[in-house]
Amino acid sequence: MTTRRRFLTTSSAAFAAPFILSSRRAAAAEASGRTIRLGHIGVGGQGSGLLNNFLSVPGAKSVAIADPFRQRREAAGQKVKEIQGHDPKLFNDFREMLADPEIDAVIIATPDHWHVPIGLAAVRAGKDVYVEKPLGHTLAQNKAMLDACVKHDRIFQYGTQQRSQEILRRGIELVINGAIGDIERIDIWAPKGSGGGSLEEIPVPEGLDYDLYLGPAPMKPCTKDRITGSGSWYCSDYAIGFIAGWGAHPLDISIWGLDYDQQGPFKIRGTGTVETPDALFNTISSWDVHMEFAGGIKSHFMSSNIAKPLIDTYRQNWCDDGTTFFGSKGWISLSRGGYAASNMEWFRLQQGPDAKRVPYQNNYYKAFVDAVRDHTPSIGPIGDAVRSDALSHLSVLAIQSGNEVVWDPKAYRIVTPQALNGRMSHPVRGDWKQS
């Protein structure tokens, strides 16, 4: 058992210092009434949903669209015209968008392997960034993104929209204010991945810049499933699977307002399966991972198929994602689709004026625009993104290697087996900078 770790308002101690506001804040605040000009990079399923959300944010204007699918960018441009009454600039290549000095910030909702390379290019071009989850394709990418945001003094907001769900905020504030007592262990689970995916080559569809779509990923034949959302989630050329793609959400909840994962080196061990190792969708689809942290807290990170029999023993309203905090006085379980507790009366409590709080705004998209306008830390900062995404990557390394992995979060390095440090990055195609 361990005592509750101290509350952090923006991120862990290891990452909080870079987010002390710079002298630019005063100048930015003077311009607080200005319209924020947004560029959208990637307007497929998730990207088009984000576009719709940002189009309704007061004080924001979507002025540019970039997507290697011509039909997608044209459809997105038409949507902007219908809602905001102007024609945004349309780009095949996001680099041309980033060269536009009038754009303040970009929304990155591409396939996973593009998140960090585009994010790096954006912050180096002086843009603030909203980056969809998961963060990087490798641990090294994540560190590079953190370093770049600090060096270039850019605002970063992660695509963990549940931070604007009021009931989740209330649950976390109950945990950090001691409702469940001292935290002892945490259950974390997310939807399992999928297998399948065709490897049969097809002609590149008209209107798609296939070379740009692949970018830093290996050049592989175009197939009907490779250029879909499922391809970007489950194919190892582009992602590490739903262990990160969906795991990002409950893992984010597990560290929100807490820093137990930053106290010192911790251990990870686990097992997992790849449903179809010889098909296109070849990432880990089912996983069962145990973590032991320096302060004594233990966590159990599972795919939903592994988790359900366990979660059903104490929680009646099953959701296929969730985070349960167990303490010396009881438990609180939080999901994007529901919540539960050993004492539901806790959720009726009114926190006093001296209670610990987490940064919160009930509109996640407005929160980003406000952070850009005022040059203040976002409610989904880069430090927290790096921390939660590391848990997914380390889980994969433990499963694939069959070893217990010891991670030093302060050194950002694997202590044992040291050979796994060589897998914190991987070769990329072309000259796409990863660091």
Side-chain angles (χ1 to χ4, degrees), residues 27-74:
E30 291 177 2
S32 60
R34 68 188 178 95
T35 297
I36 299 302
R37 298 168 64 85
L38 301 175
H40 297 262
I41 303 175
V43 285
Q46 183 67 11
S48 60
L50 288 174
L51 174 63
N52 287 333
N53 287 319
F54 279 103
L55 286 174
S56 65
V57 174
K61 186 177 183 179
S62 294
V63 299
I65 307 290
D67 197 301
F69 280 90
R70 174 175 54 78
Q71 295 89 340
R72 289 180 182 176
R73 64 178 179 265
E74 289 177 352

Side-chain angles (χ1 to χ4, degrees), residues 1-2 5 183-185 260 291-298:
M1 184 176 72
T2 188
R5 297 301 177 183
I183 302 171
E184 298 172 342
R185 62 186 179 90
Y260 62 86
M291 308 183 197
E292 298 180 25
F293 296 94
I297 291 177
K298 297 180 180 181

Side-chain angles (χ1 to χ4, degrees), residues 179-220:
I180 65 170
D182 297 328
I183 302 171
E184 298 172 342
R185 62 186 179 90
I186 308 171
D187 283 345
I188 308 162
W189 68 98
K192 69 181 292 292
S194 293
S198 174
L199 291 170
E200 183 178 349
E201 185 172 5
I202 65 168
V204 174
E206 188 274 329
L208 170 62
D209 184 338
Y210 186 61
D211 183 71
L212 184 60
Y213 180 86
L214 296 180
M219 176 55 71
K220 297 285 183 69

Side-chain angles (χ1 to χ4, degrees), residues 21-36 104 128 153-155 368-377:
L21 298 182
S22 72
S23 60
R24 293 172 54 196
R25 176 176 177 177
E30 291 177 2
S32 60
R34 68 188 178 95
T35 297
I36 299 302
D104 299 301
D128 295 323
D153 192 23
R154 302 322 313 165
I155 303 302
F368 176 64
V369 171
D370 289 348
V372 171
R373 181 182 296 110
D374 299 333
H375 201 71
T376 54

Side-chain angles (χ1 to χ4, degrees), residues 138-140 394 397 405-408 411-426:
T138 65
L139 284 162
L394 293 167
L397 289 175
V405 174
V406 179
W407 173 252
D408 185 339
Y412 203 79
R413 184 172 179 81
I414 294 170
V415 178
T416 58
Q418 290 192 12
L420 289 181
N421 284 296
R423 293 175 59 182
M424 287 177 61
S425 62
H426 57 61

Side-chain angles (χ1 to χ4, degrees), residues 39-43 47 64-67 94 97-98 106-110 118 122:
H40 297 262
I41 303 175
V43 285
I65 307 290
D67 197 301
F94 69 89
M97 175 195 288
L98 296 180
V106 294
I107 315 303
I108 300 170
T110 59
I118 294 177

